């Protein structure tokens, strides 16, 4: 007999009740989305992101907008890029490797510089464009033979801990598809998968995709080629999707179950960045930047499925 359970939920971040595992997920998201990648113009990447006090590159609009103050001429910039991703995994003595390439647009901007005939303020700059802040593309594949521990064991432990509140995205699905079960009239759960075989074959494939881009509107100025100031209104756009596909096969019976977890996030935010660069002597620049927290409006969707064959 084949049975399928599919649970779908759509939630807005921080709205409504949050389960403990969802809270852990949000903590991970905060870390993941706040750590920026090395994306932007070729100059920015070539300098390994060392742009806070150097400036002279449009990517500075997202880090220290005072860096735009070094421009005396207007420019239009477009930066395509190729993203190489290589992942390795090792599980139960089996080694796997995956490689793939993605095309990206890392920078697109227009900068207008207005030189001034003045001993004080030398130039003003106005810029609009977008910078790629992070690329989430990733893929990992892991496979192992003859393991003795089952995902069903983890579901049993979770169900025994609170039999009255089974997780609709995990333990409840396992119970409804007979991966785990209870004795008639009992409240103690046990692993019911393929007679709890001790010769299991496990496969997991994780695929991540998405990006974090920022549209910027910047203003900067140059005072005597000594002091540069700038401000940026940033509007970041977030798109993230994660799919985990897990298969567990009982080697002695060829029975298996597939557990798939899909998660998607999309959102828009706003922030303000202020910056200054001071050059006391020709070969020394001191940079200072202040970023407000980014206020995000994020929509999040979960979709989990479990098949027991």
């Amino acid at each position: 007999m084949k049975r399928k359970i599919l649970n779908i939920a759509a939630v807005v971040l921080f709205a409504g009740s949050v389960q403990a595992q969802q809270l852990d997920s949000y903590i991970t998201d905060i870390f993941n989305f706040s750590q920026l990648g090395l994306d932007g113009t070729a100059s920015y990447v070539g300098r390994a992101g060392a742009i806070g006090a150097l400036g002279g590159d449009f990517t500075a609009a997202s880090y220290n907008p005072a860096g735009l103050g070094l421009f005396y001429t207007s420019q239009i910039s477009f930066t395509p890029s190729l993203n190489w991703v290589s992942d390795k995994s090792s599980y139960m003595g089996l080694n796997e490797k995956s490689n793939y390439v993605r095309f990206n647009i890392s920078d697109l901007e227009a900068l207008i510089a207005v030189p001034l005939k003045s001993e004080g303020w030398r130039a003003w700059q106005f810029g609009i464009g977008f910078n790629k802040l992070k690329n989430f593309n990733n893929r990992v594949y892991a496979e192992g033979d003859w393991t003795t521990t089952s995902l069903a064991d983890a579901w049993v432990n979770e169900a025994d801990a609170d039999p009255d509140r089974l997780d609709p995205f995990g333990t409840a699905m396992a119970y409804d598809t007979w991966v785990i079960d209870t004795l008639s009239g009992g409240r103690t759960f046990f692993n019911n998968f393929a007679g709890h075989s001790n010769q299991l074959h496990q496969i997991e494939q994780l695929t991540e995709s998405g990006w974090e881009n920022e549209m910027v509107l910047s203003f900067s100025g140059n005072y005597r080629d000594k002091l540069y100031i700038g401000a940026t209104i940033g509007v970041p756009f977030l798109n993230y999707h994660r799919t985990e596909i897990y298969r567990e096969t009982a080697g002695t019976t060829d029975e298996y179950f597939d557990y798939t977890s899909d998660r998607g996030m999309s959102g828009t935010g706003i922030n303000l960045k202020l910056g200054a660069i001071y050059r006391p002597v020709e070969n020394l620049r001191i940079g200072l930047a202040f970023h407000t927290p980014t206020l995000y409006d994020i929509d999040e969707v979960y979709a989990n499925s479990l098949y027991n064959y």
Side-chain angles (χ1 to χ4, degrees):
M1 178 181 292
K2 299 180 180 180
R3 299 186 65 190
K4 168 190 172 183
I5 297 294
L6 174 63
N7 285 347
I8 300 177
V11 300
V12 177
L13 191 64
F14 302 129
S17 61
V18 180
Q19 295 182 356
Q21 64 187 35
Q22 291 174 321
L23 182 59
D24 290 340
S25 173
Y26 294 152
I27 294 173
T28 301
D29 291 340
I30 292 172
F31 177 80
N32 192 25
F33 300 145
S34 64
Q35 304 298 305
L36 304 183
L38 189 61
D39 290 283
T41 65
S43 172
Y44 173 78
V45 175
R47 287 187 277 181
I51 203 169
L54 295 178
D57 188 280
F58 189 80
T59 311
S62 293
Y63 297 92
N64 185 348
L68 302 181
L70 278 73
F71 286 95
Y72 274 95
T73 58
S74 301
Q75 69 171 33
I76 296 176
S77 174
F78 167 69
T79 307
S81 63
L82 293 176
N83 180 229
W84 279 270
V85 179
S86 178
D87 289 298
K88 296 180 180 180
S89 66
S90 179
Y91 179 59
M92 300 299 295
L94 294 181
N95 300 316
E96 301 289 343
K97 183 177 180 180
S98 63
N99 298 282
Y100 64 100
V101 179
R102 289 287 183 90
F103 174 80
N104 296 297
I105 297 176
S106 296
D107 167 78
L108 177 63
E109 48 90 1
L111 179 72
I112 299 175
V114 182
L116 303 174
K117 296 180 180 180
S118 169
E119 289 297 322
W121 292 102
R122 303 290 176 84
W124 299 108
Q125 299 83 19
F126 306 88
I128 185 171
F130 99 92
N131 293 317
K132 180 174 289 295
L133 302 181
K134 191 167 186 178
N135 191 324
F136 296 109
N137 294 329
N138 187 36
R139 184 167 55 200
V140 178
Y141 179 88
E143 183 175 359
D145 270 325
W146 311 117
T147 63
T148 59
T149 57
S150 169
L151 177 59
D153 293 329
W155 284 327
V156 167
N157 293 333
E158 291 180 13
D160 283 339
D162 193 351
D164 296 321
R165 297 182 60 186
L166 300 185
D167 178 10
F169 291 97
T171 51
M173 299 168 67
Y175 179 71
D176 290 337
T177 54
W178 299 334
V179 174
I180 65 175
D181 207 348
T182 60
L183 297 176
S184 180
R187 290 172 59 82
T188 300
F189 292 80
F190 66 92
N191 185 341
N192 192 45
F193 173 63
H196 197 184
S197 170
N198 289 323
Q199 296 178 335
L200 300 172
H201 179 76
Q202 298 171 332
I203 298 174
E204 177 156 4
Q205 180 173 303
L206 167 65
T207 303
E208 294 178 291
S209 61
W211 35 258
E212 187 174 358
N213 296 334
E214 185 175 50
M215 185 177 71
V216 294
L217 180 63
S218 301
F219 171 80
S220 59
N222 174 346
Y223 184 77
R224 292 182 178 272
D225 289 322
K226 291 287 187 180
L227 176 65
Y228 308 90
I229 61 171
T232 290
I233 296 176
V235 181
F237 298 91
L238 174 67
N239 185 283
Y240 175 77
H241 187 260
R242 175 189 179 101
T243 300
E244 292 181 77
I245 302 174
Y246 175 84
R247 170 170 290 189
E248 188 168 301
T249 303
T252 56
T253 64
D254 290 329
E255 295 184 27
Y256 67 92
F257 68 83
D258 284 341
Y259 178 60
T260 302
S261 176
D262 279 298
R263 183 172 180 234
M265 300 178 66
S266 61
T268 305
I270 189 168
N271 58 53
L272 174 66
K273 304 177 181 70
L274 304 174
I277 296 175
Y278 181 61
R279 183 164 63 177
V281 295
E282 181 64 25
N283 295 322
L284 175 64
R285 295 179 187 176
I286 302 171
L288 176 67
F290 169 78
H291 295 192
T292 67
T294 299
L295 179 63
Y296 270 112
D297 179 16
I298 293 179
D299 294 326
E300 186 167 8
V301 176
Y302 296 92
N304 287 14
S305 64
L306 177 60
Y307 297 82
N308 185 13
Y309 295 91

